Each structure stands twice: as C-alpha cells, then as structure tokens.
Amino acid sequence: MRTDVRRTHNAVTTTSTAAAAAVLAGITTVRNLGILAHVDAGKTTVTERILFLAGETHKRGEVHDGTTVTDCHPQERERGITIFAAAVSCLWDGHRINLIDTPGHVDFADEVERSLRVLDGAVAVFDAVAGVEPQSESVWRQADRHGVPRIAFVNKMDRAGADLDAAVASIRERLHPVPLAVQLPVGREGDFTGVVDLLTMRALTWDDGPGRDGLREGPVPEELRAEAEQRRRRLDEAVAGLHPVALEEYYERAALSTATLAAALRDLTHSGEAVVVLCGSAYRNRGVEPLLAAVTAYLPSPLDVPAVRGSVAGAAGTAGSVGSAGAEGAEEERATDPAGPLTALVFKVNVTASGRLTYLRLYTGTLRKGDTVLDATTGRTERIARILRVQADSHTETDSAVAGDIVAVIGVKAARTGATLCAPGAPLVLEPPVTAEPVVTVAVEARRSVDTDRLAVALARLAEEDPSLVVRTDPETGQRVLSGMGELHLEVAVEKIRRDHNGLEVTVGRPQVAHRETVERGVTGHVHRHVKQDGGAGQFAQVVIDVAPLDGPVGAQEGGGFVFASTVTGGRVPKEYVQAVEAGCRDALAEGPLGGHPVTGLRVTLTDGATHSKDSSDLAFRTAGRTALRDAMRACRMVLLEPVVEVTVTVPQEAVGGVLGDLAARRGRVQGSDPHGATAAVTAVVPLAELFGYATALRSRTQGRGTFTTRPAGYAPAPAAAR
C-alpha cells in the first residue's frame, strides 16, 4: 500500500515538473516589444504588415485610408497619427509576439514612457531619407533609460533619396551605439525589390502582389556579389571587435560562421553594445519577414531580462507591518517564474461608459480569473473578474495569464497607472513609470452651468487614463485648469471629452505655458526664528540658511533641481531636525515670490541654528525652514523662466529665408541649417509660448510644404515684460 502511494506521488511530481517545464518553454517563445519612431517614419504601417503576415488580419490596413488595427480611435484615423499606445499580439514561427505601437509625436511621449516600462525589447523605425530625426533620438534615449534592447529597421527604402548607409551613419553619429547592418539593399529608390541577407548570403526579393506569398529566395545577384562579400567581411570584423567568443573564432578562421555570428549579434543586442540594422519598405510589404525573424532571433524573451526589483510593502499596504517576503521597505528581486508570487504592473487604464479596462504586465506568478489581488501601492484588494488578450480595440477572453504576459483585466476598480498588483501574502511595490511635468495649460469650462458636474467627471476620467494630464482648480479665478505636454495633447484631450460625453459643450481658454522661478543672485546668513506659545507645549526653532543658484546657466536644470546641504557642527541642530528643515524648504518651492510659480535651480545650505530643550520639534523646524526660505527668496534676485523647445523645421530651399525671419520674430535662436537636396532642415531653440499656432503660420509661409517637429529643451529666462 505504501509503495502504491509513493508511486502515485512520484507520478504526480513528475507530471507537475513536466507541466512547469512546458510553461517555462512557452515563455521563452514570448517577445514583448514596442515599435518606436519619429512621426511618419512608418511605425503603424510596420505593425499592420506584421499582423497581416502573421494571419491576424486578412487585409493590409492603411493609415491614409483609416483602416489600421492599432490606430483605432476616431481621432487617430482623422489626424493620420498614432495618439494612444495600442497593444496587439500575433503568432510567428512558433513565437507569441506581444506588440505595442507607440506614438511618435513629442506631445505623447508619456505614452511611450509607460510602454517602455513594461517592454523587453523594441524595434526602432527610421526613415531611409531622413535618418535619425528629433523624436527618434528622444525615444531612443527613453529606451536607454529603461535598458530596453533594440533592433533598427530602416523603412521607406523605395523613396527617392533613400540611402541605407546614410541612415546607418546617422544612427552611429546621433545615437552612438555600434550599428551593424546585416542586409544589403537590392535595387535603389523606386527599383528597390529586396535585400541580401549577409548572414546566409541569400537574396530575398518580393513582388507587388496583395497576398502573403510574395517572398522569393535565391542566390545573390552577380552584380551585388562582390559588395555583399565585402560587407560580410566588415560585419565579421565589427562583431569580432565587440564579442570575445567571436574574436577567438575570427583569429582562427579569419571569418565567422553563421551560427557564431547570429549568437554574437544576439548577445550584443541584449547588452546594448550594438544594434542590428535591417531595411525594407513596409508599405510595399518588403523586408517585414526578415524583421520578424530578427525579432525572434535577437530580442530577449521574458526569461532573458533581469529580475524585476521592488520594495517590500506591508501585508496590508500599511506602514510598519511585515509581509511574508520580508521587512517592509527592503529591496527584493523576483525572477520571471510562473510558480512565484504574483507581481504585475499597471501601465495603462481605459475608462469608458461601459467599464474600466486595466492593462497589466505580469513579471512573476500566474493570474487566474476570479483571483483576489492586492494593490500594494494603496493596500486595497481587488478581484479579477475577467482576463483579456488585447487586439487594439477588440479582446479575446482567457482563463489565466502567466509571467511574461501583457493582458488587460476587468474588475479592478481603483488601481491607477503605475500601481503594483500582487499576491496578498507577498506584497511588493515596483517602481512606477516616470510621469513628465506638464508644460502647457488651458482653462476648461462647461458652456452650460448644468453641465459643470459632467465636466468634472469627464476631466477626472481623462486624468485617470493619462497621468501626464493634470486637472486642478485655480484658487484665484475658480476655473478648472487642464495641463498637458503640448498644444496638440490638450487639443486631443478636449476633443475626447466632446466625443465621449454626448452633448457636453466645452469652452477652452488660450493656452498658457507653465513658468518656473529660479535664483539668479542668492543671499547668505539669512536668520529666521520661529516662536509660538499659545498655552501648553510651544514651538521653537531657529535656522540660518544660505541660498545660491545651482551651478551652470540659469534654467539649465530643465525644470528640476534643488540641492539641500547642512554644515551645522556641534549638534546645534540635531540630525532629525535637519531633515525637517529640508522638508520645509521643499514645501516653500511650491510658490515663488515673482508670481507663485514653482521654484527650481537653487541650493540651500543650513549653516547654523538653535533649539529649545522642550519646545523644539520636527513641526517647529519644518515651519521654520519653510518660512525662512520664503523670506530669503524675497531678498534674492529671482528670475522668471519659461519652457523652451528645440524646433526642427523642414522647408523648401526657397522658403528658408522667410522661415529664419519668422523664427527670429518668435524669439528663436537659430542653431543651424542643414541643406538636403531641394529642402533644408532649420534647427532653432524657441520659447514654447511663441509656437502656439505655428503650424498654420508655417503652412501659409511655405504653401503647405513646410513641416516642423519639437522636443523639450528645458527652461530659459523669460523677457522682462513677462516678469
């Protein structure tokens, strides 16, 4: 009898182990990746071709026709740009690819930030004519901060002026990784028909048929053979110089085998030392299959990325308690493991009239329908009613999701973007995505007083979906104020209110920029004594502070920058009170003396102080620090700062003079003009306030042929008239 029980137990254990191994094997075939690029580089078209080739769609969607899967919002189809990050998934060559199509416009960079926080890899798409453009550089830097491995796809190789080598050179010069081109184009510009794969030394060509079977494979054309062999040798040399295993083989054979080269390219991609570069024309369906092969070969699976790190929370999300994972506040790592404690990050929330959709990235554990989870950020428990696999605006229900999955859930009522959902017995708080500070503000009012409450609900829903939108009430005017990342960002938000809330008419004020204040000349030895005695225990604190500007030019801190230091000796101000003084100084930064704007770019040094044996406390020193800094700033020479942006204007050569004059009239500082054939790219730094309505003015000045892009460039002193 005992033998039978033991055999049964062994059989169950073996089955369980096999099941766990099968789940882990499934995770190795998952790729969570984003499509990153500048506006109009072809991100959405690349996504559409991937879905078409994978069999998820039966017709190729086109941006200009408004028939794409990922640009599913009416505003996206009308404007022809991606506004909201959209998640889709497909199967390719035994791999599940979870893909997020991200916006390319600078106003929606926060959508990119939230997406990159949960992705394991990315495809950066570049225009074969323009190369690295301003927003390409911005999203690349965002991916650098998150340590996301990337491969590059040079798109639009069929355009006039397309040049793979020039695009690769711009990647090397402006982004600074080592670009490794693994393909050679077959044909140029309008005659582009395919590529030579330098790893296999085979030619891949496509016809213009509408189906999925347009790919043809054959030998390298004779006229390209010498160039292909030369590029393969250069590729071997470049990889050998970066990868030790490849270097050993290169020394022995003076060449690399295909297997060694592919393995080295994968390692270099994961480490970020190099970026694999492919090319094609997504619109003409050329080069997408090799891109998918590169995604599965070089980008990491969830098992390949480092373990996620977080802070242990209290068992019920309360301070001072201890969870099963360890002491509250302790750092903990959790590797990708379906059998581990559930850990998932909320990176997107959609609130509609029919319900609330919460998007999750699972890092560890398994999530099942009906599970109760803990919002470790707030201590609130939530119940998972349904789990959905997302295909942009359509969904397929599933019973469970495992570590490495990106899914949406229904039933979570209060978790906000950045919240961590985890197993109640193993609470962990993951670092949330960083939310950018808004720079543009408009006043929003309901035209009819009866709609005031409806507008409040609509604005609250907007802020819940998009953390980069901030809603507040102006204490002086009583108006509701909406702040965002740019003019287009706010325009889209207001239009969304009008569309989603039928009959709600909204009046919008002229955009205003978010000013800052800073110290140009400081003060030393400012003394403040805080004494309060009104019966019972009193309050006493004395502080002496120095205030000075941070090193560097005024406004160079790009809207952030506060340094606090203490040089107090002899215990005249105890350490715990020093921290209270710092907290009080940070409180004082909320409103500056010039116009009540936030203060930035200053250094405060606590040099001396005094305490009372009975009446000194944290509260007294915090109050003293706040009041002391406010008074000191009134004695300082303060400067009003305004946000500035780097503008790249692409115009015909004959319109350059007029554009330069217009930028100068807008207080712009021209940094250069780069001629490119019949057009020129003018770069300037311009105050953001001067760019409201610039799109219309530029179209008028260039007969509709001029375009411009912007990216934040920090803050600069405002003119005297604005102070």
Side-chain angles (χ1 to χ4, degrees):
M1 188 67 176
R2 291 176 182 172
T3 303
D4 293 338
V5 170
R6 189 160 48 248
R7 286 175 179 171
T8 303
H9 172 74
N10 290 340
V12 170
T13 302
T14 302
T15 303
S16 175
T17 303
V23 173
L24 287 173
I27 295 175
T28 62
T29 63
V30 172
R31 298 291 183 272
N32 294 318
L33 66 125
I35 306 292
L36 312 175
H38 185 87
V39 177
D40 203 33
K43 299 181 307 300
T44 301
T45 302
V46 169
T47 305
E48 291 299 318
R49 296 306 182 265
I50 288 174
L51 294 176
F52 176 72
L53 289 171
E56 292 293 332
T57 59
H58 302 292
K59 183 180 179 182
R60 294 184 290 187
E62 305 294 352
V63 173
H64 54 271
D65 292 335
T67 57
T68 58
V69 172
T70 52
D71 285 355
C72 53
H73 194 276
Q75 287 201 71
E76 293 179 310
R77 292 181 173 176
E78 291 170 7
R79 298 173 186 270
I81 61 172
T82 300
I83 296 172
F84 309 104
V88 294
S89 67
C90 62
L91 296 174
W92 178 264
D93 193 26
H95 292 74
R96 171 170 290 282
I97 298 175
N98 297 321
L99 193 155
I100 297 181
D101 180 21
T102 64
H105 197 285
V106 65
D107 282 18
F108 309 106
D110 213 55
E111 288 273 340
V112 182
E113 184 74 18
R114 293 194 294 274
S115 300
L116 284 170
R117 177 63 180 81
V118 299
L119 294 174
D120 302 326
V123 175
V125 180
F126 301 95
D127 188 312
V129 178
V132 176
E133 297 174 271
Q135 190 59 13
S136 308
E137 194 169 347
S138 295
V139 296
W140 190 275
R141 301 298 174 220
Q142 287 178 284
D144 279 342
R145 287 200 305 274
H146 290 280
V148 175
R150 280 141 283 170
I151 58 177
F153 181 68
V154 179
N155 193 25
K156 303 187 178 183
M157 288 295 297
D158 57 330
R159 282 186 60 194
D163 189 335
L164 175 63
D165 291 336
V168 170
S170 70
I171 292 173
R172 180 184 296 107
E173 293 164 8
R174 299 190 61 177
L175 305 181
H176 308 298
V178 178
L180 300 172
V182 297
Q183 293 177 341
L184 167 67
V186 176
R188 291 181 57 85
E189 301 178 347
D191 295 327
F192 173 74
T193 58
V195 298
V196 173
D197 184 342
L198 298 180
L199 272 76
T200 62
M201 295 301 287
R202 300 284 289 174
L204 307 174
T205 57
W206 289 264
D207 57 34
D208 287 323
R212 300 184 180 89
D213 55 353
L215 173 61
R216 303 286 182 267
E217 183 178 347
V220 178
E222 197 60 40
E223 64 273 16
L224 292 176
R225 181 173 295 280
E227 183 179 0
E229 290 174 350
Q230 182 184 28
R231 288 181 179 247
R232 171 59 189 265
R233 283 195 298 272
R234 290 207 299 262
L235 177 62
D236 286 351
E237 290 172 3
V239 171
L242 297 169
H243 195 277
V245 175
L247 181 62
E248 290 182 12
E249 183 173 315
Y250 188 78
Y251 271 137
E252 292 175 2
R253 302 177 50 207
L256 298 180
S257 66
T258 301
T260 300
L261 181 56
L265 289 173
R266 187 173 192 272
D267 292 342
L268 294 172
T269 300
H270 287 199
S271 67
E273 294 179 70
V275 57
V276 173
V277 182
L278 302 97
C279 64
S281 170
Y283 179 70
R284 295 177 68 178
N285 214 35
R286 295 176 179 175
V288 182
E289 292 97 334
L291 174 63
L292 282 166
V295 164
T296 59
Y298 304 133
L299 291 181
S301 76
L303 292 175
D304 296 322
V305 298
V308 67
R309 294 180 62 87
S311 300
V312 176
T318 57
S321 56
V322 178
S324 63
E328 183 191 3
E331 288 284 321
E332 182 179 319
E333 287 189 353
R334 290 184 183 174
T336 303
D337 181 5
L342 176 69
T343 311
L345 183 70
V346 177
F347 69 94
K348 186 177 177 67
V349 173
N350 272 354
V351 183
T352 65
S354 57
R356 192 175 191 273
L357 205 59
T358 304
Y359 291 77
L360 307 176
R361 160 66 194 266
L362 274 71
Y363 287 98
T364 63
T366 300
L367 182 67
R368 296 180 178 83
K369 185 167 65 173
D371 281 355
T372 297
V373 298
L374 173 71
D375 181 346
T377 313
T378 63
R380 178 190 177 108
T381 56
E382 304 272 8
R383 184 177 179 276
I384 306 299
R386 297 166 64 194
I387 302 174
L388 307 173
R389 296 211 177 269
V390 183
Q391 201 74 349
D393 59 345
S394 62
H395 315 99
T396 304
E397 192 164 348
T398 184
D399 291 331
S400 64
V402 300
D405 275 342
I406 293 178
V407 295
V409 296
I410 294 176
V412 176
K413 294 182 172 60
R416 305 294 293 266
T417 300
T420 305
L421 300 184
C422 56
L428 189 75
V429 177
L430 302 179
E431 181 184 353
V434 176
T435 301
E437 260 191 82
V439 294
V440 180
T441 298
V442 293
V444 183
E445 295 178 340
R447 287 190 182 177
R448 299 178 301 179
S449 59
V450 294
D451 288 335
T452 301
D453 290 342
R454 290 181 63 201
L455 177 60
V457 171
L459 289 172
R461 182 180 293 177
L462 266 182
E464 187 175 358
E465 290 185 338
D466 186 352
S468 62
L469 287 170
V470 177
V471 181
R472 63 181 178 85
T473 300
D474 190 296
E476 295 182 2
T477 65
Q479 289 180 308
R480 282 192 176 87
V481 175
L482 180 64
S483 303
M485 300 304 298
E487 195 176 6
L488 179 60
H489 190 202
L490 296 179
E491 185 182 319
V492 166
V494 171
E495 183 62 25
K496 194 170 190 295
I497 291 176
R498 292 178 176 139
R499 290 174 186 258
D500 294 352
H501 302 267
N502 295 332
L504 180 56
E505 298 181 6
V506 179
T507 301
V508 182
R510 187 181 185 277
Q512 301 290 327
V513 298
H515 288 90
R516 296 287 184 270
E517 298 177 24
T518 193
V519 174
E520 186 178 55
R521 188 178 64 198
V523 296
T524 59
H526 181 82
V527 181
H528 178 76
R529 178 188 291 255
H530 172 68
V531 180
K532 184 177 181 181
Q533 191 73 45
D534 52 3
Q539 293 185 23
F540 177 87
Q542 178 175 310
V543 297
V544 183
I545 61 173
D546 295 345
V547 180
L550 280 180
D551 296 335
V554 174
Q557 295 83 22
E558 300 191 6
F562 170 69
V563 174
F564 181 88
S566 173
T567 59
V568 178
T569 59
R572 293 179 61 81
V573 179
K575 188 174 181 179
E576 61 270 22
Y577 293 161
V578 171
Q579 294 175 343
V581 174
E582 179 179 358
C585 290
R586 291 187 182 277
D587 294 342
L589 298 178
E591 294 183 1
L594 295 181
H597 307 292
V599 181
T600 183
L602 75 163
R603 181 190 307 275
V604 176
T605 306
L606 178 65
T607 60
D608 201 356
T611 61
H612 187 276
S613 58
K614 293 183 178 179
D615 292 346
S616 291
S617 64
D618 280 355
L619 176 60
F621 272 91
R622 182 164 187 161
T623 304
R626 179 172 62 248
T627 309
L629 183 53
R630 284 177 178 171
D631 293 344
M633 286 191 295
R634 294 189 184 98
C636 295
R637 177 183 291 176
M638 302 293 293
V639 175
L640 185 68
L641 303 176
E642 61 180 348
V644 295
V645 295
E646 182 184 289
V647 184
T648 302
V649 188
T650 304
V651 294
Q653 287 281 6
E654 61 270 20
V656 170
V659 168
L660 290 174
D662 186 40
L663 289 173
R666 295 173 184 270
R667 298 190 284 124
R669 291 181 288 108
V670 176
Q671 296 182 318
S673 176
D674 181 21
H676 194 283
T679 64
V682 178
T683 305
V685 175
V686 185
L688 180 61
E690 298 290 346
L691 288 180
F692 295 142
Y694 183 60
T696 302
L698 181 63
R699 282 195 294 266
S700 175
R701 191 174 292 276
T702 62
Q703 290 79 47
R705 293 181 291 168
T707 60
F708 77 99
T709 59
T710 63
R711 64 174 178 174
Y715 284 78
R723 299 180 191 178

